């Protein structure tokens, strides 16, 4: 079931990029530079947040399991969760730079 969702997401991205780089009826290229910029920013944020969420989920589960055995490990697990959340922030910063520049 998980692989079907991944395949559907990849196909949706492929179809979106095909629409962005399409040509007009007369064969001339249509200027989609504004739309392409926003699609690229959305992909950057989307992939970054999905990857960050997956990482936080796995790290958080492992940290909770470790803290159930030894409560002193909570301070050591917190920076790893913060590093995983940083992936989302980098995706947002890249998207912001794509839109602004």
């Amino acid at each position: 079931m998980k692989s079907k969702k991944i395949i559907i997401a990849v196909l949706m991205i492929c179809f979106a990029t095909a629409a962005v780089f399409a040509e007009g009826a007369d064969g001339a290229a249509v200027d989609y530079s504004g739309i392409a910029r926003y699609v690229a920013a959305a992909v950057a944020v989307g992939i970054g947040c999905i990857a960050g969420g997956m990482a936080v989920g796995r790290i958080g589960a492992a940290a909770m399991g470790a803290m159930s055995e030894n409560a002193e490990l909570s301070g050591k697990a917190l920076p790893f969760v913060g590093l995983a959340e940083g992936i989302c922030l980098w995706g947002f910063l890249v998207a912001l730079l794509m839109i602004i520049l």
Side-chain angles (χ1 to χ4, degrees):
M1 188 68 176
K2 190 175 184 181
S3 63
K4 283 185 180 181
K5 290 181 182 179
I6 293 173
I7 291 172
I8 290 172
V10 169
L11 287 175
M12 288 175 62
I13 291 171
C14 290
F15 291 137
T17 55
V20 167
F21 297 110
E23 291 183 354
D26 58 353
V30 180
D31 184 23
Y32 284 118
S33 61
I35 294 173
R37 179 183 299 176
Y38 294 121
V39 169
V43 169
V45 170
I47 291 175
C49 287
I50 288 171
M54 291 171 56
V56 167
R58 290 186 181 177
I59 292 170
M64 287 302 209
M67 284 189 297
S68 67
E69 294 177 9
N70 187 0
E72 296 175 0
L73 294 176
S74 62
K76 293 181 181 178
L78 191 61
F80 292 109
V81 175
L83 288 172
E85 289 179 2
I87 297 170
C88 301
L89 293 175
W90 279 109
F92 174 72
L93 289 175
V94 167
L96 190 66
L97 290 174
M98 283 182 190
I99 292 173
I100 291 175
L101 300 178

